[in-house]
Amino acid sequence: MTFSHEDAGTPEHRWSQDWRSDARLSIEALFDGRMPERVIVVAAHPDDETLGAAGLVRRLARAGVATDIVVATNGEASHPNSPTHTAVQLAELRRIELEQAVELLAPSARTHFLNLPDGGLDAEELTEQLRRIVATGGRPGERTLLVAPWRGDGHGDHEAGGTAAAQLATELNLPLLEYPVWLWHWATPDSSEVPWNQLEILDLAGDEQTLKQSALLMHASQTAPLSDEPGDEALLAPGFLDHFARGFETFIPTPSSGVFERLHADTDDPWGLKDRFYERRKRSVALALLPRERFAASLELGCSIGVLSAELAARTDSLLALDISPTAVAATQERLSDYPEATARVASVPRDWPSGQFDLIVISEVGYFLSRTQLLDVVARAVASLAADGVILLCHWRHPIDGWELDGDTVHELFRSASSLAVFAEHREEDFRIDLLVRPPAVSVARATGVL
């Protein structure tokens, strides 16, 4: 890929008229429904982080996520023919500009200047530096998000930055978001090099977009001429900057193996669903509470290895079982092999909520792995997907859930208070709780079947 910043480039209106990706980025989905605790943003040059990820940086910092900005080079080669600024002076100026921009976006962020050569960034050297930064300033087990320039951006330093981050993400099993910068300049909506099927959009709130524009103004050495002398022209032309005045940012995510995938990959039954009497008894109680012998269409969230799924499949004409772990879904699909109308699918709810109506929705031991906002979204989607005569079965552990925002009782109370559903039946004991919710009025089995 060869291009120059002096090229006319693709105008922004061309992108807006022929945009190809509507997939929305869910940061929480990268961490099994939780926000990261730390984000490490890699910039090949000062201003990359602002151009590509200022809105993301602002959002995470405001949410209390510990933020590290890693600047690989000082950008001293931006004006090689400047008659007014030496490379040393440009490096110092650009460092100051970056610090001012970061102060606007994430005042508590830690900034790391690596002082590597501009125009000759080495991926292996950068990987080693990033490895050191990840190992310091945090704590073991911390949920860490890596953000870096896109490896296909067409700039050698950006390629090195993305490659280094990708190598570290693979090594440490961390999710990675890559942000394009120069892609919008050299590519067109028809370019085969653009991975449209991988791009995901982060919609920016008004203040995030405003602060991004303010932060870009801090990089005056790039957005305005250094002087009126030849060689001091602005590096980033107004037409180029139009690409970064959008109401969204674009990322190419590479998810890590989440905690649930690792659990299922390490053992064939991480929760003891097959052998523990506690689990067998709990399933029996839950299934006994169902008000109908048979259902037309059932949805199960968080199926794990499909032990409950198989029992549900025997009582429903069709079953869709969802789990975030591919290994768990594969085990469930095998367990459902005797039920042709039952299937398992990899999905993260609420983002991947399926279409259709269901007369049984089972949410068992999964609600407390969501944030409060996500759970309320699940409530709304479940109610909207519930058939007129449908039933929602909630079943959750009542003891503390370490490392997650919610617990079992909170899940049930939020579900009951946030919906207009009626309680058909409930069961509570020290260890677990089951609630069956229906559209009002709740009609007893005896009345519904003519016993009364």
Side-chain angles (χ1 to χ4, degrees), residues 380-443:
R381 291 172 185 264
V383 172
S385 300
L386 190 64
D389 61 345
V391 179
I392 294 178
L393 187 153
L394 305 173
C395 178
H396 289 86
W397 175 254
R398 299 188 68 197
H399 298 291
I401 308 295
D402 294 335
W404 302 88
E405 178 181 348
L406 305 176
D407 59 26
D409 281 322
T410 303
V411 168
H412 285 236
E413 294 306 323
L414 279 174
F415 217 106
R416 290 168 64 155
S417 64
S419 72
S420 58
L421 301 178
V423 178
F424 175 86
E426 55 187 339
H427 172 90
R428 300 189 195 196
E429 53 186 80
E430 180 183 357
D431 298 326
F432 67 91
R433 170 178 178 176
I434 299 174
D435 285 341
L436 268 65
L437 307 179
V438 299
R439 297 191 186 279
V443 180

Short mmCIF file of all heavy atoms in Angstrom, two decimals, residues 380-443:
data_model
loop_
_atom_site.label_atom_id
_atom_site.label_comp_id
_atom_site.label_asym_id
_atom_site.label_seq_id
_atom_site.Cartn_x
_atom_site.Cartn_y
_atom_site.Cartn_z
N ALA A 380 -36.49 -6.54 28.97
CA ALA A 380 -37.31 -5.96 27.92
C ALA A 380 -37.42 -6.89 26.72
O ALA A 380 -38.50 -7.07 26.14
CB ALA A 380 -36.74 -4.60 27.50
N ARG A 381 -36.30 -7.49 26.33
CA ARG A 381 -36.32 -8.38 25.17
C ARG A 381 -37.10 -9.66 25.46
O ARG A 381 -37.79 -10.18 24.59
CB ARG A 381 -34.89 -8.71 24.75
CG ARG A 381 -34.14 -7.51 24.16
CD ARG A 381 -32.67 -7.84 23.94
NE ARG A 381 -31.90 -6.70 23.50
CZ ARG A 381 -31.60 -6.42 22.24
NH1 ARG A 381 -32.04 -7.23 21.28
NH2 ARG A 381 -30.88 -5.37 21.92
N ALA A 382 -36.95 -10.18 26.68
CA ALA A 382 -37.68 -11.40 27.03
C ALA A 382 -39.19 -11.16 27.01
O ALA A 382 -39.95 -11.98 26.48
CB ALA A 382 -37.24 -11.89 28.40
N VAL A 383 -39.62 -10.05 27.57
CA VAL A 383 -41.05 -9.74 27.58
C VAL A 383 -41.56 -9.56 26.16
O VAL A 383 -42.64 -10.04 25.79
CB VAL A 383 -41.31 -8.49 28.43
CG1 VAL A 383 -42.77 -8.04 28.30
CG2 VAL A 383 -40.98 -8.76 29.90
N ALA A 384 -40.78 -8.87 25.32
CA ALA A 384 -41.20 -8.65 23.93
C ALA A 384 -41.26 -9.96 23.15
O ALA A 384 -42.06 -10.09 22.22
CB ALA A 384 -40.24 -7.68 23.25
N SER A 385 -40.44 -10.94 23.52
CA SER A 385 -40.39 -12.22 22.80
C SER A 385 -41.34 -13.26 23.37
O SER A 385 -41.45 -14.35 22.82
CB SER A 385 -38.96 -12.79 22.84
OG SER A 385 -38.04 -11.92 22.24
N LEU A 386 -42.00 -12.95 24.47
CA LEU A 386 -42.84 -13.92 25.16
C LEU A 386 -44.21 -14.01 24.50
O LEU A 386 -44.90 -13.00 24.32
CB LEU A 386 -42.99 -13.54 26.63
CG LEU A 386 -43.63 -14.57 27.55
CD1 LEU A 386 -42.76 -15.82 27.64
CD2 LEU A 386 -43.86 -13.98 28.94
N ALA A 387 -44.60 -15.23 24.15
CA ALA A 387 -45.93 -15.45 23.57
C ALA A 387 -47.01 -15.09 24.59
O ALA A 387 -46.75 -15.00 25.80
CB ALA A 387 -46.07 -16.90 23.13
N ALA A 388 -48.22 -14.92 24.11
CA ALA A 388 -49.32 -14.49 24.98
C ALA A 388 -49.52 -15.45 26.15
O ALA A 388 -49.86 -15.03 27.26
CB ALA A 388 -50.60 -14.35 24.16
N ASP A 389 -49.32 -16.74 25.90
CA ASP A 389 -49.49 -17.74 26.97
C ASP A 389 -48.13 -18.24 27.47
O ASP A 389 -48.03 -19.34 28.03
CB ASP A 389 -50.31 -18.91 26.46
CG ASP A 389 -49.65 -19.63 25.29
OD1 ASP A 389 -48.71 -19.06 24.69
OD2 ASP A 389 -50.07 -20.77 24.95
N GLY A 390 -47.09 -17.43 27.29
CA GLY A 390 -45.75 -17.89 27.60
C GLY A 390 -45.37 -17.82 29.06
O GLY A 390 -46.03 -17.17 29.88
N VAL A 391 -44.26 -18.50 29.38
CA VAL A 391 -43.74 -18.60 30.74
C VAL A 391 -42.24 -18.26 30.71
O VAL A 391 -41.51 -18.73 29.84
CB VAL A 391 -43.91 -20.03 31.30
CG1 VAL A 391 -43.35 -20.12 32.71
CG2 VAL A 391 -45.37 -20.45 31.26
N ILE A 392 -41.80 -17.45 31.67
CA ILE A 392 -40.38 -17.23 31.89
C ILE A 392 -39.98 -17.92 33.18
O ILE A 392 -40.59 -17.68 34.23
CB ILE A 392 -40.05 -15.72 31.97
CG1 ILE A 392 -40.32 -15.05 30.61
CG2 ILE A 392 -38.59 -15.51 32.37
CD1 ILE A 392 -40.08 -13.56 30.60
N LEU A 393 -38.98 -18.79 33.10
CA LEU A 393 -38.48 -19.49 34.27
C LEU A 393 -37.12 -18.90 34.64
O LEU A 393 -36.19 -18.95 33.86
CB LEU A 393 -38.35 -20.99 33.98
CG LEU A 393 -37.99 -21.89 35.18
CD1 LEU A 393 -38.52 -23.30 34.96
CD2 LEU A 393 -36.48 -21.96 35.42
N LEU A 394 -37.05 -18.35 35.84
CA LEU A 394 -35.80 -17.83 36.39
C LEU A 394 -35.31 -18.78 37.48
O LEU A 394 -36.10 -19.18 38.35
CB LEU A 394 -36.00 -16.45 37.00
CG LEU A 394 -36.60 -15.35 36.12
CD1 LEU A 394 -36.88 -14.10 36.95
CD2 LEU A 394 -35.66 -15.02 34.98
N CYS A 395 -34.02 -19.12 37.45
CA CYS A 395 -33.45 -19.99 38.48
C CYS A 395 -32.02 -19.55 38.75
O CYS A 395 -31.20 -19.54 37.82
CB CYS A 395 -33.50 -21.45 38.01
SG CYS A 395 -32.77 -22.61 39.19
N HIS A 396 -31.72 -19.19 40.02
CA HIS A 396 -30.38 -18.68 40.32
C HIS A 396 -29.93 -19.04 41.74
O HIS A 396 -30.73 -19.10 42.67
CB HIS A 396 -30.34 -17.15 40.15
CG HIS A 396 -30.42 -16.72 38.71
ND1 HIS A 396 -31.62 -16.54 38.06
CD2 HIS A 396 -29.44 -16.44 37.81
CE1 HIS A 396 -31.38 -16.17 36.81
NE2 HIS A 396 -30.08 -16.11 36.64
N TRP A 397 -28.63 -19.22 41.86
CA TRP A 397 -27.90 -19.42 43.11
C TRP A 397 -28.07 -18.18 43.98
O TRP A 397 -28.00 -17.06 43.51
CB TRP A 397 -26.44 -19.65 42.73
CG TRP A 397 -25.39 -19.78 43.78
CD1 TRP A 397 -24.46 -18.85 44.12
CD2 TRP A 397 -25.10 -20.94 44.56
NE1 TRP A 397 -23.60 -19.36 45.07
CE2 TRP A 397 -23.97 -20.65 45.36
CE3 TRP A 397 -25.67 -22.21 44.66
CZ2 TRP A 397 -23.42 -21.56 46.24
CZ3 TRP A 397 -25.11 -23.11 45.54
CH2 TRP A 397 -24.01 -22.80 46.32
N ARG A 398 -28.26 -18.40 45.30
CA ARG A 398 -28.55 -17.26 46.18
C ARG A 398 -27.37 -16.84 47.03
O ARG A 398 -27.48 -15.86 47.79
CB ARG A 398 -29.73 -17.61 47.10
CG ARG A 398 -31.03 -17.91 46.34
CD ARG A 398 -32.18 -18.04 47.29
NE ARG A 398 -32.51 -16.77 47.92
CZ ARG A 398 -33.27 -16.64 49.02
NH1 ARG A 398 -33.73 -17.74 49.62
NH2 ARG A 398 -33.53 -15.46 49.52
N HIS A 399 -26.25 -17.52 46.93
CA HIS A 399 -25.07 -17.15 47.70
C HIS A 399 -24.28 -16.08 46.95
O HIS A 399 -24.53 -15.82 45.76
CB HIS A 399 -24.23 -18.38 48.01
CG HIS A 399 -24.95 -19.40 48.84
ND1 HIS A 399 -25.29 -19.18 50.15
CD2 HIS A 399 -25.44 -20.64 48.51
CE1 HIS A 399 -25.92 -20.25 50.63
NE2 HIS A 399 -26.04 -21.14 49.65
N PRO A 400 -23.28 -15.43 47.58
CA PRO A 400 -22.54 -14.34 46.91
C PRO A 400 -21.87 -14.80 45.61
O PRO A 400 -21.40 -15.93 45.49
CB PRO A 400 -21.49 -13.94 47.96
CG PRO A 400 -22.11 -14.32 49.27
CD PRO A 400 -22.88 -15.57 48.99
N ILE A 401 -21.81 -13.88 44.65
CA ILE A 401 -21.18 -14.11 43.35
C ILE A 401 -19.97 -13.17 43.27
O ILE A 401 -20.11 -11.98 43.03
CB ILE A 401 -22.14 -13.83 42.18
CG1 ILE A 401 -23.46 -14.59 42.37
CG2 ILE A 401 -21.48 -14.17 40.86
CD1 ILE A 401 -23.32 -16.09 42.31
N ASP A 402 -18.79 -13.68 43.52
CA ASP A 402 -17.59 -12.85 43.56
C ASP A 402 -17.22 -12.34 42.16
O ASP A 402 -17.22 -13.11 41.20
CB ASP A 402 -16.40 -13.63 44.14
CG ASP A 402 -16.60 -13.98 45.61
OD1 ASP A 402 -17.37 -13.26 46.28
OD2 ASP A 402 -16.01 -14.98 46.07
N GLY A 403 -16.91 -11.06 42.08
CA GLY A 403 -16.40 -10.49 40.84
C GLY A 403 -17.47 -10.02 39.87
O GLY A 403 -17.15 -9.56 38.78
N TRP A 404 -18.74 -10.10 40.26
CA TRP A 404 -19.83 -9.69 39.37
C TRP A 404 -20.72 -8.69 40.09
O TRP A 404 -20.82 -8.68 41.33
CB TRP A 404 -20.63 -10.89 38.89
CG TRP A 404 -19.78 -11.90 38.19
CD1 TRP A 404 -19.09 -12.93 38.75
CD2 TRP A 404 -19.45 -11.93 36.79
NE1 TRP A 404 -18.38 -13.62 37.80
CE2 TRP A 404 -18.59 -13.03 36.58
CE3 TRP A 404 -19.83 -11.17 35.69
CZ2 TRP A 404 -18.10 -13.37 35.33
CZ3 TRP A 404 -19.34 -11.51 34.44
CH2 TRP A 404 -18.48 -12.59 34.27
N GLU A 405 -21.39 -7.87 39.33
CA GLU A 405 -22.17 -6.76 39.89
C GLU A 405 -23.42 -7.23 40.62
O GLU A 405 -23.80 -6.66 41.65
CB GLU A 405 -22.57 -5.83 38.73
CG GLU A 405 -23.42 -4.64 39.14
CD GLU A 405 -23.80 -3.77 37.95
OE1 GLU A 405 -23.22 -3.95 36.86
OE2 GLU A 405 -24.70 -2.92 38.12
N LEU A 406 -24.08 -8.27 40.13
CA LEU A 406 -25.37 -8.69 40.66
C LEU A 406 -25.26 -10.03 41.39
O LEU A 406 -24.27 -10.74 41.26
CB LEU A 406 -26.38 -8.82 39.51
CG LEU A 406 -26.57 -7.59 38.62
CD1 LEU A 406 -27.53 -7.91 37.48
CD2 LEU A 406 -27.08 -6.40 39.44
N ASP A 407 -26.31 -10.35 42.15
CA ASP A 407 -26.44 -11.69 42.73
C ASP A 407 -27.81 -12.24 42.35
O ASP A 407 -28.63 -11.56 41.71
CB ASP A 407 -26.23 -11.67 44.24
CG ASP A 407 -27.21 -10.77 44.97
OD1 ASP A 407 -28.33 -10.54 44.45
OD2 ASP A 407 -26.87 -10.28 46.06
N GLY A 408 -28.07 -13.48 42.73
CA GLY A 408 -29.28 -14.15 42.28
C GLY A 408 -30.56 -13.45 42.70
O GLY A 408 -31.47 -13.26 41.89
N ASP A 409 -30.67 -13.06 43.97
CA ASP A 409 -31.88 -12.40 44.43
C ASP A 409 -32.10 -11.08 43.71
O ASP A 409 -33.23 -10.72 43.36
CB ASP A 409 -31.82 -12.18 45.94
CG ASP A 409 -32.14 -13.44 46.73
OD1 ASP A 409 -33.04 -14.19 46.30
OD2 ASP A 409 -31.49 -13.68 47.75
N THR A 410 -31.02 -10.33 43.47
CA THR A 410 -31.15 -9.06 42.76
C THR A 410 -31.64 -9.28 41.35
O THR A 410 -32.47 -8.51 40.84
CB THR A 410 -29.79 -8.32 42.74
OG1 THR A 410 -29.34 -8.14 44.08
CG2 THR A 410 -29.91 -6.98 42.06
N VAL A 411 -31.16 -10.33 40.70
CA VAL A 411 -31.62 -10.66 39.35
C VAL A 411 -33.13 -10.87 39.35
O VAL A 411 -33.86 -10.31 38.52
CB VAL A 411 -30.90 -11.91 38.81
CG1 VAL A 411 -31.57 -12.43 37.54
CG2 VAL A 411 -29.43 -11.60 38.54
N HIS A 412 -33.62 -11.66 40.26
CA HIS A 412 -35.05 -11.96 40.30
C HIS A 412 -35.88 -10.73 40.64
O HIS A 412 -36.93 -10.50 40.04
CB HIS A 412 -35.31 -13.09 41.30
CG HIS A 412 -34.90 -14.44 40.79
ND1 HIS A 412 -35.76 -15.52 40.71
CD2 HIS A 412 -33.71 -14.89 40.32
CE1 HIS A 412 -35.11 -16.57 40.23
NE2 HIS A 412 -33.86 -16.21 39.99
N GLU A 413 -35.43 -9.94 41.60
CA GLU A 413 -36.19 -8.75 41.98
C GLU A 413 -36.22 -7.72 40.86
O GLU A 413 -37.24 -7.08 40.61
CB GLU A 413 -35.61 -8.13 43.26
CG GLU A 413 -35.76 -9.01 44.50
CD GLU A 413 -37.20 -9.45 44.75
OE1 GLU A 413 -38.13 -8.64 44.50
OE2 GLU A 413 -37.40 -10.61 45.18
N LEU A 414 -35.08 -7.55 40.16
CA LEU A 414 -35.06 -6.62 39.03
C LEU A 414 -35.98 -7.11 37.91
O LEU A 414 -36.69 -6.32 37.28
CB LEU A 414 -33.63 -6.47 38.50
CG LEU A 414 -32.72 -5.51 39.25
CD1 LEU A 414 -31.29 -5.58 38.69
CD2 LEU A 414 -33.24 -4.08 39.15
N PHE A 415 -35.96 -8.41 37.66
CA PHE A 415 -36.81 -8.96 36.61
C PHE A 415 -38.29 -8.74 36.95
O PHE A 415 -39.09 -8.36 36.08
CB PHE A 415 -36.53 -10.45 36.44
CG PHE A 415 -36.58 -10.91 35.01
CD1 PHE A 415 -35.42 -11.21 34.32
CD2 PHE A 415 -37.79 -11.04 34.35
CE1 PHE A 415 -35.46 -11.62 33.00
CE2 PHE A 415 -37.85 -11.46 33.04
CZ PHE A 415 -36.67 -11.75 32.35
N ARG A 416 -38.63 -8.96 38.20
CA ARG A 416 -40.04 -8.81 38.59
C ARG A 416 -40.47 -7.36 38.60
O ARG A 416 -41.58 -7.01 38.15
CB ARG A 416 -40.25 -9.46 39.96
CG ARG A 416 -40.17 -10.98 39.92
CD ARG A 416 -40.10 -11.65 41.26
NE ARG A 416 -41.28 -11.46 42.09
CZ ARG A 416 -41.66 -12.29 43.05
NH1 ARG A 416 -40.94 -13.39 43.29
NH2 ARG A 416 -42.72 -12.05 43.77
N SER A 417 -39.60 -6.46 39.06
CA SER A 417 -39.99 -5.04 39.17
C SER A 417 -39.96 -4.33 37.82
O SER A 417 -40.69 -3.37 37.62
CB SER A 417 -39.07 -4.32 40.16
OG SER A 417 -37.73 -4.31 39.69
N ALA A 418 -39.11 -4.79 36.91
CA ALA A 418 -38.95 -4.09 35.63
C ALA A 418 -39.90 -4.60 34.56
O ALA A 418 -39.91 -4.07 33.45
CB ALA A 418 -37.51 -4.23 35.14
N SER A 419 -40.67 -5.61 34.87
CA SER A 419 -41.63 -6.13 33.88
C SER A 419 -43.04 -6.04 34.46
O SER A 419 -43.23 -5.87 35.66
CB SER A 419 -41.30 -7.59 33.54
OG SER A 419 -41.63 -8.44 34.62
N SER A 420 -44.00 -6.19 33.59
CA SER A 420 -45.40 -6.18 34.04
C SER A 420 -45.93 -7.60 34.20
O SER A 420 -47.14 -7.81 34.28
CB SER A 420 -46.26 -5.43 33.02
OG SER A 420 -46.15 -6.04 31.73
N LEU A 421 -45.02 -8.56 34.29
CA LEU A 421 -45.43 -9.96 34.38
C LEU A 421 -45.92 -10.31 35.78
O LEU A 421 -45.51 -9.69 36.78
CB LEU A 421 -44.26 -10.86 34.00
CG LEU A 421 -43.70 -10.66 32.59
CD1 LEU A 421 -42.51 -11.58 32.36
CD2 LEU A 421 -44.77 -10.90 31.53
N ALA A 422 -46.75 -11.31 35.85
CA ALA A 422 -47.28 -11.80 37.12
C ALA A 422 -46.50 -13.02 37.57
O ALA A 422 -45.96 -13.78 36.75
CB ALA A 422 -48.76 -12.16 36.97
N VAL A 423 -46.43 -13.22 38.87
CA VAL A 423 -45.75 -14.38 39.43
C VAL A 423 -46.71 -15.57 39.42
O VAL A 423 -47.75 -15.55 40.09
CB VAL A 423 -45.26 -14.11 40.87
CG1 VAL A 423 -44.61 -15.37 41.45
CG2 VAL A 423 -44.28 -12.94 40.88
N PHE A 424 -46.36 -16.58 38.65
CA PHE A 424 -47.19 -17.79 38.62
C PHE A 424 -46.83 -18.72 39.76
O PHE A 424 -47.70 -19.31 40.40
CB PHE A 424 -47.00 -18.51 37.28
CG PHE A 424 -47.74 -19.82 37.21
CD1 PHE A 424 -49.07 -19.85 36.82
CD2 PHE A 424 -47.12 -21.02 37.55
CE1 PHE A 424 -49.77 -21.06 36.77
CE2 PHE A 424 -47.80 -22.22 37.50
CZ PHE A 424 -49.13 -22.25 37.11
N ALA A 425 -45.52 -18.88 40.01
CA ALA A 425 -45.07 -19.75 41.10
C ALA A 425 -43.68 -19.30 41.53
O ALA A 425 -42.95 -18.67 40.76
CB ALA A 425 -45.04 -21.21 40.65
N GLU A 426 -43.33 -19.60 42.77
CA GLU A 426 -41.99 -19.27 43.26
C GLU A 426 -41.55 -20.33 44.26
O GLU A 426 -42.37 -20.92 44.97
CB GLU A 426 -41.97 -17.87 43.89
CG GLU A 426 -42.98 -17.66 44.99
CD GLU A 426 -43.03 -16.21 45.45
OE1 GLU A 426 -42.04 -15.48 45.22
OE2 GLU A 426 -44.04 -15.81 46.04
N HIS A 427 -40.26 -20.54 44.28
CA HIS A 427 -39.65 -21.50 45.20
C HIS A 427 -38.37 -20.88 45.72
O HIS A 427 -37.52 -20.44 44.94
CB HIS A 427 -39.35 -22.82 44.47
CG HIS A 427 -38.57 -23.79 45.30
ND1 HIS A 427 -39.17 -24.72 46.12
CD2 HIS A 427 -37.23 -23.96 45.45
CE1 HIS A 427 -38.22 -25.42 46.73
NE2 HIS A 427 -37.04 -24.99 46.35
N ARG A 428 -38.21 -20.85 47.03
CA ARG A 428 -37.00 -20.29 47.63
C ARG A 428 -36.49 -21.22 48.72
O ARG A 428 -37.25 -21.74 49.53
CB ARG A 428 -37.28 -18.92 48.26
CG ARG A 428 -37.79 -17.88 47.31
CD ARG A 428 -37.82 -16.51 47.96
NE ARG A 428 -38.63 -15.58 47.20
CZ ARG A 428 -38.61 -14.26 47.36
NH1 ARG A 428 -37.81 -13.73 48.26
NH2 ARG A 428 -39.38 -13.48 46.64
N GLU A 429 -35.19 -21.44 48.68
CA GLU A 429 -34.51 -22.11 49.78
C GLU A 429 -33.15 -21.46 49.92
O GLU A 429 -32.82 -20.53 49.18
CB GLU A 429 -34.42 -23.62 49.52
CG GLU A 429 -33.82 -24.01 48.19
CD GLU A 429 -33.91 -25.52 47.97
OE1 GLU A 429 -34.99 -26.03 47.58
OE2 GLU A 429 -32.87 -26.17 48.20
N GLU A 430 -32.37 -21.90 50.85
CA GLU A 430 -31.11 -21.21 51.14
C GLU A 430 -30.21 -21.11 49.90
O GLU A 430 -29.57 -20.08 49.67
CB GLU A 430 -30.34 -21.93 52.26
CG GLU A 430 -29.02 -21.24 52.60
CD GLU A 430 -28.23 -21.98 53.65
OE1 GLU A 430 -28.73 -23.00 54.18
OE2 GLU A 430 -27.10 -21.54 53.96
N ASP A 431 -30.17 -22.15 49.08
CA ASP A 431 -29.19 -22.22 48.01
C ASP A 431 -29.65 -21.62 46.69
O ASP A 431 -28.84 -21.04 45.96
CB ASP A 431 -28.77 -23.67 47.77
CG ASP A 431 -28.11 -24.28 48.99
OD1 ASP A 431 -27.42 -23.54 49.71
OD2 ASP A 431 -28.31 -25.48 49.23
N PHE A 432 -30.90 -21.79 46.34
CA PHE A 432 -31.35 -21.29 45.04
C PHE A 432 -32.79 -20.80 45.12
O PHE A 432 -33.51 -21.07 46.07
CB PHE A 432 -31.18 -22.34 43.94
CG PHE A 432 -32.09 -23.55 44.08
CD1 PHE A 432 -33.34 -23.58 43.48
CD2 PHE A 432 -31.68 -24.67 44.80
CE1 PHE A 432 -34.17 -24.68 43.59
CE2 PHE A 432 -32.50 -25.78 44.92
CZ PHE A 432 -33.75 -25.79 44.32
N ARG A 433 -33.16 -20.12 44.05
CA ARG A 433 -34.48 -19.50 43.97
C ARG A 433 -35.02 -19.70 42.56
O ARG A 433 -34.28 -19.58 41.59
CB ARG A 433 -34.38 -18.02 44.29
CG ARG A 433 -35.63 -17.20 44.02
CD ARG A 433 -35.39 -15.76 44.43
NE ARG A 433 -36.54 -14.92 44.14
CZ ARG A 433 -36.64 -13.65 44.47
NH1 ARG A 433 -35.63 -13.05 45.10
NH2 ARG A 433 -37.72 -12.94 44.18
N ILE A 434 -36.30 -20.02 42.47
CA ILE A 434 -36.96 -20.18 41.18
C ILE A 434 -38.20 -19.30 41.16
O ILE A 434 -38.99 -19.32 42.10
CB ILE A 434 -37.35 -21.64 40.90
CG1 ILE A 434 -36.10 -22.54 40.89
CG2 ILE A 434 -38.10 -21.77 39.57
CD1 ILE A 434 -36.41 -24.01 40.76
N ASP A 435 -38.38 -18.53 40.11
CA ASP A 435 -39.59 -17.75 39.87
C ASP A 435 -40.13 -18.09 38.49
O ASP A 435 -39.36 -18.16 37.52
CB ASP A 435 -39.32 -16.25 39.93
CG ASP A 435 -39.13 -15.73 41.34
OD1 ASP A 435 -39.56 -16.42 42.27
OD2 ASP A 435 -38.56 -14.64 41.50
N LEU A 436 -41.42 -18.32 38.38
CA LEU A 436 -42.09 -18.48 37.10
C LEU A 436 -42.98 -17.26 36.88
O LEU A 436 -43.85 -16.96 37.72
CB LEU A 436 -42.94 -19.75 37.07
CG LEU A 436 -42.24 -21.02 36.54
CD1 LEU A 436 -41.11 -21.43 37.46
CD2 LEU A 436 -43.23 -22.14 36.32
N LEU A 437 -42.75 -16.56 35.78
CA LEU A 437 -43.46 -15.33 35.47
C LEU A 437 -44.28 -15.51 34.20
O LEU A 437 -43.81 -16.13 33.23
CB LEU A 437 -42.48 -14.17 35.29
CG LEU A 437 -41.49 -13.92 36.43
CD1 LEU A 437 -40.57 -12.75 36.10
CD2 LEU A 437 -42.21 -13.69 37.74
N VAL A 438 -45.50 -14.97 34.20
CA VAL A 438 -46.40 -15.08 33.05
C VAL A 438 -47.08 -13.74 32.83
O VAL A 438 -47.04 -12.86 33.69
CB VAL A 438 -47.47 -16.17 33.28
CG1 VAL A 438 -46.82 -17.54 33.46
CG2 VAL A 438 -48.35 -15.84 34.49
N ARG A 439 -47.69 -13.61 31.68
CA ARG A 439 -48.50 -12.42 31.45
C ARG A 439 -49.76 -12.52 32.33
O ARG A 439 -50.36 -13.59 32.43
CB ARG A 439 -48.90 -12.30 29.99
CG ARG A 439 -47.70 -12.12 29.05
CD ARG A 439 -48.13 -11.73 27.66
NE ARG A 439 -47.01 -11.71 26.73
CZ ARG A 439 -46.13 -10.72 26.62
NH1 ARG A 439 -46.28 -9.64 27.40
NH2 ARG A 439 -45.15 -10.77 25.74
N PRO A 440 -50.16 -11.42 32.97
CA PRO A 440 -51.33 -11.50 33.85
C PRO A 440 -52.61 -11.73 33.02
O PRO A 440 -52.68 -11.32 31.86
CB PRO A 440 -51.33 -10.13 34.53
CG PRO A 440 -50.55 -9.23 33.63
CD PRO A 440 -49.53 -10.10 32.96
N PRO A 441 -53.59 -12.42 33.63
CA PRO A 441 -53.56 -12.94 35.00
C PRO A 441 -52.88 -14.31 35.06
O PRO A 441 -52.85 -15.04 34.07
CB PRO A 441 -55.04 -13.07 35.34
CG PRO A 441 -55.68 -13.39 34.01
CD PRO A 441 -54.90 -12.61 32.98
N ALA A 442 -52.31 -14.65 36.22
CA ALA A 442 -51.71 -15.96 36.43
C ALA A 442 -52.81 -16.96 36.78
O ALA A 442 -53.45 -16.85 37.82
CB ALA A 442 -50.69 -15.89 37.55
N VAL A 443 -53.05 -17.89 35.87
CA VAL A 443 -54.12 -18.88 36.04
C VAL A 443 -53.51 -20.20 36.49
O VAL A 443 -52.58 -20.71 35.86
CB VAL A 443 -54.90 -19.07 34.73
CG1 VAL A 443 -56.01 -20.11 34.91
CG2 VAL A 443 -55.49 -17.74 34.26
#
